[in-house]
Amino acid sequence: MAATSKTGQNVRGALLTACGLLGIGGAQAQATEIKGAVLGYTEPDRVSAIETVVDVAHTFAGGQGLNFKLVYDGLTGASANGAVPWTDYQTFTRPSGAGSYQADPEQTPLDDTFRDSRVALSGGASLPWGRLSTVSAGLYGSGEHDYMSLGANLALSRDFNKRNTTVALRGAMFHDTINPEGGRPTPFGIMTPAGSELARLDGDGTKDIMDLGLSLTQTINRSTIAHLSYTFSQVDGYQTDPYKLLSVVNPETGAPGHYVFEKRPDSRAKHVLLAKLNHHLSRDIVRLSYRFMTDDWGVNSHTIDLEYRLKMGEHRYLEPSVRWYTQSEADFYRRFLLESEALPLDASADYRLGDMQTWAWGLKHGRRLGNGHDLTVRGVYYRQSGESHPAEAVGALRDLDLFPTVEAFIFQVGYSFGT
Protein backbone atom coordinates (compact mmCIF):
# COMPACT_ATOMS: atom_id res chain seq x y z
CA MET A 1 0.00 0.00 0.00
CA ALA A 2 1.47 3.35 -1.01
CA ALA A 3 0.56 6.92 -0.12
CA THR A 4 1.63 10.18 -1.78
CA SER A 5 2.68 13.20 0.26
CA LYS A 6 -0.55 15.01 -0.66
CA THR A 7 -2.64 12.03 0.40
CA GLY A 8 -0.83 11.87 3.73
CA GLN A 9 -1.48 15.58 4.31
CA ASN A 10 -5.17 15.11 3.54
CA VAL A 11 -5.49 12.21 5.97
CA ARG A 12 -3.68 14.08 8.72
CA GLY A 13 -5.77 17.18 8.06
CA ALA A 14 -8.97 15.19 8.34
CA LEU A 15 -7.73 13.64 11.55
CA LEU A 16 -6.91 17.01 13.10
CA THR A 17 -10.35 18.29 12.10
CA ALA A 18 -11.95 15.32 13.83
CA CYS A 19 -9.87 16.05 16.94
CA GLY A 20 -11.15 19.61 16.96
CA LEU A 21 -14.75 18.44 16.73
CA LEU A 22 -14.18 16.25 19.77
CA GLY A 23 -12.94 19.24 21.74
CA ILE A 24 -9.37 18.00 22.01
CA GLY A 25 -7.83 20.31 19.42
CA GLY A 26 -5.71 23.37 20.10
CA ALA A 27 -2.54 21.58 21.17
CA GLN A 28 0.34 21.12 18.79
CA ALA A 29 0.54 17.57 17.45
CA GLN A 30 3.38 15.46 18.79
CA ALA A 31 3.11 12.43 16.49
CA THR A 32 0.92 10.87 13.84
CA GLU A 33 1.25 7.28 12.62
CA ILE A 34 -0.61 5.76 9.70
CA LYS A 35 -0.56 2.03 8.98
CA GLY A 36 -2.09 0.06 6.13
CA ALA A 37 -2.11 -3.61 5.29
CA VAL A 38 -3.61 -6.03 2.78
CA LEU A 39 -3.97 -9.69 3.72
CA GLY A 40 -4.88 -12.63 1.52
CA TYR A 41 -5.99 -16.02 2.87
CA THR A 42 -6.80 -19.16 0.95
CA GLU A 43 -7.66 -22.76 1.74
CA PRO A 44 -7.22 -24.70 -1.53
CA ASP A 45 -10.63 -25.78 -2.86
CA ARG A 46 -12.31 -24.07 0.10
CA VAL A 47 -12.56 -20.54 1.50
CA SER A 48 -10.58 -17.56 0.24
CA ALA A 49 -10.49 -14.12 1.85
CA ILE A 50 -8.94 -10.72 1.36
CA GLU A 51 -8.73 -8.09 4.07
CA THR A 52 -7.71 -4.42 3.96
CA VAL A 53 -6.85 -2.47 7.12
CA VAL A 54 -6.15 1.23 7.66
CA ASP A 55 -5.07 2.29 11.16
CA VAL A 56 -4.43 5.93 12.15
CA ALA A 57 -3.09 7.02 15.55
CA HIS A 58 -2.42 10.58 16.70
CA THR A 59 -0.72 11.71 19.91
CA PHE A 60 -0.93 15.29 21.19
CA ALA A 61 1.77 17.22 23.04
CA GLY A 62 -0.21 16.90 26.27
CA GLY A 63 -0.21 13.11 26.05
CA GLN A 64 -3.77 12.74 24.74
CA GLY A 65 -4.27 10.26 21.94
CA LEU A 66 -6.79 9.37 19.27
CA ASN A 67 -6.95 6.29 17.05
CA PHE A 68 -9.19 5.16 14.19
CA LYS A 69 -9.25 1.82 12.43
CA LEU A 70 -11.11 0.73 9.30
CA VAL A 71 -11.29 -2.90 8.17
CA TYR A 72 -12.87 -4.38 5.05
CA ASP A 73 -12.80 -8.07 4.25
CA GLY A 74 -14.46 -10.26 1.68
CA LEU A 75 -14.83 -14.04 1.74
CA THR A 76 -15.77 -16.46 -0.97
CA GLY A 77 -15.53 -20.17 -1.74
CA ALA A 78 -16.78 -23.37 -0.15
CA SER A 79 -17.43 -23.92 3.55
CA ALA A 80 -18.02 -27.23 5.39
CA ASN A 81 -21.70 -27.50 6.35
CA GLY A 82 -21.15 -30.00 9.20
CA ALA A 83 -22.57 -33.14 7.56
CA VAL A 84 -20.43 -36.29 7.30
CA PRO A 85 -19.13 -37.60 3.94
CA TRP A 86 -20.77 -40.68 2.45
CA THR A 87 -20.13 -43.30 -0.23
CA ASP A 88 -22.76 -41.80 -2.56
CA TYR A 89 -23.79 -38.32 -3.69
CA GLN A 90 -25.56 -36.16 -1.09
CA THR A 91 -27.94 -33.29 -1.83
CA PHE A 92 -28.37 -30.31 0.50
CA THR A 93 -30.72 -27.34 0.51
CA ARG A 94 -29.08 -23.92 0.38
CA PRO A 95 -29.52 -21.67 3.46
CA SER A 96 -32.10 -19.52 1.66
CA GLY A 97 -34.19 -22.61 0.91
CA ALA A 98 -34.42 -21.65 -2.77
CA GLY A 99 -31.86 -24.03 -4.26
CA SER A 100 -29.66 -27.05 -3.63
CA TYR A 101 -26.08 -28.31 -4.01
CA GLN A 102 -24.38 -31.70 -4.04
CA ALA A 103 -21.45 -33.32 -2.26
CA ASP A 104 -19.40 -35.90 -4.16
CA PRO A 105 -18.93 -39.42 -2.78
CA GLU A 106 -16.41 -39.71 0.09
CA GLN A 107 -15.92 -35.93 0.13
CA THR A 108 -16.64 -33.51 2.98
CA PRO A 109 -19.92 -31.73 2.16
CA LEU A 110 -19.14 -28.10 1.27
CA ASP A 111 -21.57 -25.28 0.61
CA ASP A 112 -19.94 -23.74 -2.47
CA THR A 113 -22.05 -20.56 -2.41
CA PHE A 114 -20.32 -19.08 0.63
CA ARG A 115 -20.07 -15.31 0.08
CA ASP A 116 -19.68 -12.54 2.59
CA SER A 117 -18.16 -9.11 3.12
CA ARG A 118 -17.66 -7.12 6.29
CA VAL A 119 -16.88 -3.52 7.17
CA ALA A 120 -15.64 -2.72 10.68
CA LEU A 121 -14.89 0.71 12.12
CA SER A 122 -13.42 1.41 15.54
CA GLY A 123 -12.08 4.48 17.26
CA GLY A 124 -10.84 5.50 20.67
CA ALA A 125 -9.28 8.19 22.79
CA SER A 126 -6.80 8.12 25.67
CA LEU A 127 -6.23 10.82 28.28
CA PRO A 128 -3.57 11.18 31.00
CA TRP A 129 -5.07 11.07 34.49
CA GLY A 130 -2.52 12.55 36.76
CA ARG A 131 1.16 11.87 36.28
CA LEU A 132 1.10 8.06 36.28
CA SER A 133 -2.36 7.00 35.05
CA THR A 134 -4.11 6.87 31.68
CA VAL A 135 -7.80 6.43 30.86
CA SER A 136 -8.88 5.21 27.43
CA ALA A 137 -12.24 4.52 25.84
CA GLY A 138 -13.42 3.38 22.43
CA LEU A 139 -16.34 2.38 20.23
CA TYR A 140 -16.65 -0.44 17.70
CA GLY A 141 -19.10 -1.32 14.94
CA SER A 142 -19.13 -3.90 12.15
CA GLY A 143 -21.69 -5.04 9.63
CA GLU A 144 -22.22 -7.93 7.21
CA HIS A 145 -25.26 -8.84 5.16
CA ASP A 146 -26.51 -11.13 7.96
CA TYR A 147 -24.58 -9.98 11.05
CA MET A 148 -24.07 -6.72 12.97
CA SER A 149 -21.94 -6.04 16.03
CA LEU A 150 -21.74 -2.89 18.20
CA GLY A 151 -19.43 -2.44 21.15
CA ALA A 152 -17.72 -0.09 23.60
CA ASN A 153 -14.64 -0.42 25.80
CA LEU A 154 -13.05 1.37 28.75
CA ALA A 155 -9.60 0.92 30.29
CA LEU A 156 -7.52 2.37 33.12
CA SER A 157 -3.74 1.88 33.43
CA ARG A 158 -1.29 3.05 36.08
CA ASP A 159 2.51 3.00 36.29
CA PHE A 160 4.43 2.03 39.42
CA ASN A 161 8.00 1.35 40.45
CA LYS A 162 9.57 4.27 38.54
CA ARG A 163 7.40 3.34 35.50
CA ASN A 164 8.89 -0.15 35.35
CA THR A 165 5.54 -1.72 36.27
CA THR A 166 2.19 -1.07 34.61
CA VAL A 167 -1.15 -2.42 35.81
CA ALA A 168 -4.21 -2.11 33.55
CA LEU A 169 -7.90 -2.84 34.08
CA ARG A 170 -10.20 -2.99 31.07
CA GLY A 171 -13.77 -3.83 30.20
CA ALA A 172 -15.83 -4.12 27.02
CA MET A 173 -19.45 -4.73 26.06
CA PHE A 174 -20.78 -5.93 22.68
CA HIS A 175 -24.25 -6.50 21.30
CA ASP A 176 -24.51 -8.72 18.21
CA THR A 177 -27.48 -9.30 15.91
CA ILE A 178 -27.75 -12.13 13.38
CA ASN A 179 -30.33 -12.32 10.60
CA PRO A 180 -29.36 -15.33 8.43
CA GLU A 181 -30.55 -15.92 4.89
CA GLY A 182 -34.08 -17.28 4.97
CA GLY A 183 -34.32 -16.74 8.75
CA ARG A 184 -33.14 -18.80 11.73
CA PRO A 185 -33.97 -22.51 11.41
CA THR A 186 -35.56 -24.24 14.38
CA PRO A 187 -32.87 -26.04 16.43
CA PHE A 188 -32.74 -29.73 15.39
CA GLY A 189 -35.24 -28.93 12.64
CA ILE A 190 -35.02 -31.35 9.71
CA MET A 191 -33.52 -29.96 6.52
CA THR A 192 -36.29 -30.00 3.91
CA PRO A 193 -35.97 -30.16 0.10
CA ALA A 194 -35.41 -26.90 -1.79
CA GLY A 195 -38.59 -24.90 -2.24
CA SER A 196 -40.47 -26.52 0.66
CA GLU A 197 -41.41 -24.99 4.01
CA LEU A 198 -38.86 -25.10 6.82
CA ALA A 199 -39.77 -24.34 10.43
CA ARG A 200 -37.96 -21.18 11.51
CA LEU A 201 -37.66 -19.08 14.66
CA ASP A 202 -39.26 -15.65 14.83
CA GLY A 203 -37.14 -12.51 14.62
CA ASP A 204 -33.39 -12.00 14.66
CA GLY A 205 -30.95 -13.72 16.95
CA THR A 206 -29.06 -11.55 19.47
CA LYS A 207 -26.28 -12.07 21.95
CA ASP A 208 -24.49 -9.90 24.50
CA ILE A 209 -20.79 -10.17 25.31
CA MET A 210 -19.00 -8.81 28.38
CA ASP A 211 -15.20 -8.87 28.67
CA LEU A 212 -13.26 -7.97 31.83
CA GLY A 213 -9.48 -8.01 31.92
CA LEU A 214 -6.56 -7.35 34.26
CA SER A 215 -2.94 -7.16 33.08
CA LEU A 216 0.54 -6.60 34.48
CA THR A 217 3.52 -5.45 32.39
CA GLN A 218 6.94 -5.57 34.04
CA THR A 219 10.30 -4.29 32.85
CA ILE A 220 12.73 -6.91 34.16
CA ASN A 221 15.90 -5.23 32.89
CA ARG A 222 17.06 -3.10 29.98
CA SER A 223 16.63 -6.03 27.60
CA THR A 224 13.56 -7.92 28.87
CA ILE A 225 9.86 -7.10 29.31
CA ALA A 226 7.24 -9.53 30.66
CA HIS A 227 3.46 -9.31 30.38
CA LEU A 228 0.74 -11.30 32.15
CA SER A 229 -3.01 -10.88 31.70
CA TYR A 230 -6.30 -12.53 32.65
CA THR A 231 -9.57 -12.03 30.78
CA PHE A 232 -13.05 -13.20 31.70
CA SER A 233 -15.69 -13.27 28.98
CA GLN A 234 -19.42 -13.93 29.38
CA VAL A 235 -21.59 -14.51 26.30
CA ASP A 236 -25.38 -14.76 26.57
CA GLY A 237 -27.90 -15.21 23.77
CA TYR A 238 -28.10 -16.86 20.36
CA GLN A 239 -24.80 -18.69 19.65
CA THR A 240 -26.02 -21.38 17.26
CA ASP A 241 -24.63 -21.26 13.71
CA PRO A 242 -27.79 -21.24 11.55
CA TYR A 243 -25.89 -22.58 8.54
CA LYS A 244 -24.48 -25.74 10.19
CA LEU A 245 -26.03 -29.22 9.94
CA LEU A 246 -25.63 -32.63 11.58
CA SER A 247 -26.10 -35.94 9.79
CA VAL A 248 -28.52 -38.37 11.45
CA VAL A 249 -27.21 -41.80 10.43
CA ASN A 250 -28.20 -45.45 10.57
CA PRO A 251 -26.50 -47.01 13.63
CA GLU A 252 -25.53 -50.14 11.66
CA THR A 253 -24.53 -48.91 8.19
CA GLY A 254 -23.67 -45.27 8.95
CA ALA A 255 -25.81 -44.11 6.00
CA PRO A 256 -27.28 -40.61 6.49
CA GLY A 257 -31.07 -40.80 6.78
CA HIS A 258 -31.69 -37.07 7.13
CA TYR A 259 -30.01 -33.86 8.32
CA VAL A 260 -30.89 -31.52 11.18
CA PHE A 261 -29.75 -28.04 12.10
CA GLU A 262 -27.42 -27.69 15.06
CA LYS A 263 -28.17 -26.25 18.51
CA ARG A 264 -25.68 -24.71 20.93
CA PRO A 265 -26.09 -23.48 24.53
CA ASP A 266 -27.23 -19.88 24.95
CA SER A 267 -24.60 -19.11 27.59
CA ARG A 268 -20.81 -19.38 27.57
CA ALA A 269 -18.21 -18.28 30.13
CA LYS A 270 -14.52 -18.15 29.11
CA HIS A 271 -11.32 -17.64 31.09
CA VAL A 272 -8.09 -16.68 29.31
CA LEU A 273 -4.56 -16.44 30.71
CA LEU A 274 -1.85 -14.88 28.54
CA ALA A 275 1.88 -14.62 29.25
CA LYS A 276 4.40 -12.84 27.01
CA LEU A 277 8.15 -12.36 27.17
CA ASN A 278 10.13 -10.00 24.91
CA HIS A 279 13.92 -10.16 25.06
CA HIS A 280 16.34 -7.95 23.13
CA LEU A 281 19.64 -9.65 22.32
CA SER A 282 22.70 -7.70 21.24
CA ARG A 283 21.15 -7.31 17.76
CA ASP A 284 18.09 -9.52 17.49
CA ILE A 285 14.74 -9.75 19.34
CA VAL A 286 12.98 -12.88 20.66
CA ARG A 287 9.26 -12.89 21.48
CA LEU A 288 7.57 -15.81 23.21
CA SER A 289 3.95 -16.09 24.35
CA TYR A 290 1.67 -18.71 25.89
CA ARG A 291 -2.14 -18.55 26.02
CA PHE A 292 -4.50 -20.84 27.92
CA MET A 293 -8.27 -20.75 27.48
CA THR A 294 -10.97 -22.74 29.26
CA ASP A 295 -14.75 -22.41 29.15
CA ASP A 296 -17.90 -24.02 30.47
CA TRP A 297 -18.53 -25.67 27.09
CA GLY A 298 -15.67 -28.05 27.88
CA VAL A 299 -13.16 -26.50 25.47
CA ASN A 300 -9.60 -26.14 26.76
CA SER A 301 -6.94 -24.70 24.47
CA HIS A 302 -3.20 -24.01 24.58
CA THR A 303 -1.33 -21.67 22.21
CA ILE A 304 2.43 -21.12 21.98
CA ASP A 305 3.89 -18.40 19.72
CA LEU A 306 7.60 -17.93 19.03
CA GLU A 307 9.05 -15.13 16.89
CA TYR A 308 12.69 -14.31 16.23
CA ARG A 309 13.58 -10.99 14.61
CA LEU A 310 16.93 -11.30 12.84
CA LYS A 311 18.45 -7.91 12.07
CA MET A 312 20.05 -7.67 8.63
CA GLY A 313 21.88 -4.38 8.42
CA GLU A 314 20.51 -1.01 9.53
CA HIS A 315 17.24 -1.04 7.64
CA ARG A 316 16.14 -4.65 7.16
CA TYR A 317 15.14 -7.66 9.19
CA LEU A 318 13.82 -11.20 8.77
CA GLU A 319 11.36 -12.64 11.27
CA PRO A 320 10.63 -16.39 11.21
CA SER A 321 7.79 -17.52 13.46
CA VAL A 322 6.02 -20.67 14.56
CA ARG A 323 2.65 -21.07 16.27
CA TRP A 324 1.25 -24.24 17.84
CA TYR A 325 -2.36 -24.58 18.97
CA THR A 326 -4.35 -27.44 20.43
CA GLN A 327 -7.84 -27.69 21.85
CA SER A 328 -10.18 -30.27 23.35
CA GLU A 329 -13.67 -30.72 21.93
CA ALA A 330 -16.80 -29.11 23.34
CA ASP A 331 -19.01 -31.26 25.56
CA PHE A 332 -21.76 -31.19 22.93
CA TYR A 333 -19.54 -31.77 19.87
CA ARG A 334 -20.96 -34.69 17.89
CA ARG A 335 -19.62 -35.70 14.49
CA PHE A 336 -23.05 -37.18 13.73
CA LEU A 337 -26.25 -38.31 15.47
CA LEU A 338 -27.76 -41.81 15.49
CA GLU A 339 -31.31 -42.53 14.35
CA SER A 340 -31.73 -44.94 17.28
CA GLU A 341 -31.00 -42.29 19.94
CA ALA A 342 -33.06 -39.43 21.34
CA LEU A 343 -31.87 -35.94 20.43
CA PRO A 344 -29.40 -34.45 22.91
CA LEU A 345 -29.94 -31.12 24.63
CA ASP A 346 -27.28 -29.48 22.42
CA ALA A 347 -25.17 -30.72 19.51
CA SER A 348 -22.87 -29.32 16.84
CA ALA A 349 -20.62 -30.93 14.22
CA ASP A 350 -18.72 -27.67 13.58
CA TYR A 351 -15.04 -28.71 13.38
CA ARG A 352 -14.09 -25.47 15.15
CA LEU A 353 -15.56 -27.03 18.31
CA GLY A 354 -13.78 -30.36 17.82
CA ASP A 355 -10.57 -31.81 19.17
CA MET A 356 -7.86 -30.38 16.92
CA GLN A 357 -4.26 -29.30 16.56
CA THR A 358 -2.82 -26.60 14.31
CA TRP A 359 0.63 -25.43 13.25
CA ALA A 360 1.51 -22.17 11.53
CA TRP A 361 4.97 -21.42 10.13
CA GLY A 362 5.65 -17.87 8.97
CA LEU A 363 8.36 -15.63 7.59
CA LYS A 364 8.24 -11.83 7.62
CA HIS A 365 10.56 -9.37 5.90
CA GLY A 366 10.68 -5.73 7.00
CA ARG A 367 12.50 -2.84 5.38
CA ARG A 368 12.92 0.87 6.15
CA LEU A 369 12.62 2.76 2.85
CA GLY A 370 14.60 5.81 1.83
CA ASN A 371 11.72 8.15 2.72
CA GLY A 372 11.60 6.78 6.25
CA HIS A 373 8.50 4.68 5.67
CA ASP A 374 8.30 0.99 6.59
CA LEU A 375 7.34 -1.86 4.27
CA THR A 376 6.68 -5.42 5.45
CA VAL A 377 5.90 -8.63 3.57
CA ARG A 378 4.77 -11.78 5.39
CA GLY A 379 3.88 -15.31 4.36
CA VAL A 380 2.38 -18.08 6.53
CA TYR A 381 1.66 -21.76 5.97
CA TYR A 382 -1.14 -23.10 8.20
CA ARG A 383 -2.09 -26.73 8.84
CA GLN A 384 -5.03 -28.00 10.90
CA SER A 385 -5.68 -31.64 11.79
CA GLY A 386 -8.00 -33.69 13.98
CA GLU A 387 -9.22 -37.24 14.55
CA SER A 388 -10.03 -38.51 11.05
CA HIS A 389 -11.37 -41.90 12.20
CA PRO A 390 -13.01 -41.44 15.61
CA ALA A 391 -13.79 -44.52 17.71
CA GLU A 392 -17.53 -43.79 17.63
CA ALA A 393 -17.74 -44.08 13.83
CA VAL A 394 -20.24 -46.72 12.66
CA GLY A 395 -20.66 -48.76 9.46
CA ALA A 396 -18.98 -47.41 6.35
CA LEU A 397 -18.13 -44.17 8.19
CA ARG A 398 -15.21 -46.02 9.73
CA ASP A 399 -13.47 -45.98 6.35
CA LEU A 400 -14.14 -42.31 5.57
CA ASP A 401 -12.15 -39.24 6.63
CA LEU A 402 -14.43 -37.52 9.15
CA PHE A 403 -11.96 -34.73 10.01
CA PRO A 404 -9.85 -33.99 6.93
CA THR A 405 -6.63 -32.02 7.29
CA VAL A 406 -7.03 -28.40 6.21
CA GLU A 407 -4.15 -26.38 4.79
CA ALA A 408 -4.12 -22.61 4.25
CA PHE A 409 -1.73 -20.01 2.87
CA ILE A 410 -1.61 -16.43 4.14
CA PHE A 411 0.13 -13.50 2.49
CA GLN A 412 0.29 -9.97 3.92
CA VAL A 413 1.78 -6.65 2.80
CA GLY A 414 2.00 -3.76 5.26
CA TYR A 415 2.99 -0.12 4.88
CA SER A 416 3.38 2.49 7.64
CA PHE A 417 4.71 6.00 8.14
CA GLY A 418 4.61 8.72 10.74
CA THR A 419 5.21 12.41 11.25
Side-chain angles (χ1 to χ4, degrees), residues 112-310:
D112 59 1
T113 61
F114 182 65
R115 303 285 187 279
D116 208 351
S117 60
R118 178 180 70 104
V119 176
L121 178 64
S122 59
S126 61
L127 300 170
W129 188 12
R131 189 173 62 88
L132 298 175
S133 301
T134 301
V135 178
S136 60
L139 297 173
Y140 169 88
S142 69
E144 308 167 39
H145 80 283
D146 61 356
Y147 199 99
M148 183 175 69
S149 179
L150 299 173
N153 60 78
L154 181 67
L156 171 65
S157 65
R158 183 172 178 83
D159 295 330
F160 299 92
N161 186 26
K162 298 181 180 179
R163 297 187 182 274
N164 288 316
T165 305
T166 301
V167 176
L169 178 66
R170 62 192 182 281
M173 295 288 294
F174 298 89
H175 179 75
D176 295 354
T177 303
I178 182 169
N179 179 21
E181 295 180 34
R184 294 182 297 150
T186 301
F188 293 133
I190 297 176
M191 185 197 74
T192 55
S196 60
E197 279 296 320
L198 172 67
R200 299 191 184 268
L201 300 175
D202 294 332
D204 298 338
T206 62
K207 66 180 178 182
D208 294 301
I209 305 166
M210 178 190 69
D211 292 336
L212 296 174
L214 178 66
S215 66
L216 170 69
T217 303
Q218 177 66 49
T219 300
I220 298 176
N221 53 46
R222 297 182 63 181
S223 303
T224 309
I225 297 178
H227 174 87
L228 181 66
S229 67
Y230 164 75
T231 302
F232 169 75
S233 180
Q234 178 68 44
V235 186
D236 293 300
Y238 185 75
Q239 300 181 63
T240 295
D241 189 325
Y243 302 124
K244 297 299 184 184
L245 301 167
L246 291 108
S247 300
V248 183
V249 307
N250 184 289
E252 300 297 330
T253 66
H258 60 280
Y259 312 93
V260 298
F261 290 92
E262 70 161 43
K263 179 181 180 294
R264 305 186 190 187
D266 58 7
S267 178
R268 186 181 191 183
K270 296 192 293 186
H271 304 268
V272 179
L273 284 174
L274 175 65
K276 296 181 180 181
L277 188 67
N278 291 355
H279 182 67
H280 196 292
L281 304 173
S282 57
R283 287 172 53 89
D284 305 333
I285 300 174
V286 180
R287 290 189 289 267
L288 176 66
S289 70
Y290 168 73
R291 179 182 183 271
F292 170 73
M293 191 282 293
T294 184
D295 66 16
D296 57 0
W297 284 8
V299 179
N300 297 310
S301 70
H302 304 267
T303 309
I304 297 176
D305 270 297
L306 176 63
E307 300 173 343
Y308 189 94
R309 177 170 293 194
L310 177 65

Side-chain angles (χ1 to χ4, degrees), residues 2-12 34 371 373 415 417 419:
T4 64
S5 176
K6 183 176 181 180
T7 301
Q9 293 172 0
N10 290 340
V11 173
R12 291 190 290 274
I34 301 174
N371 57 7
H373 299 181
Y415 192 89
F417 61 94
T419 61

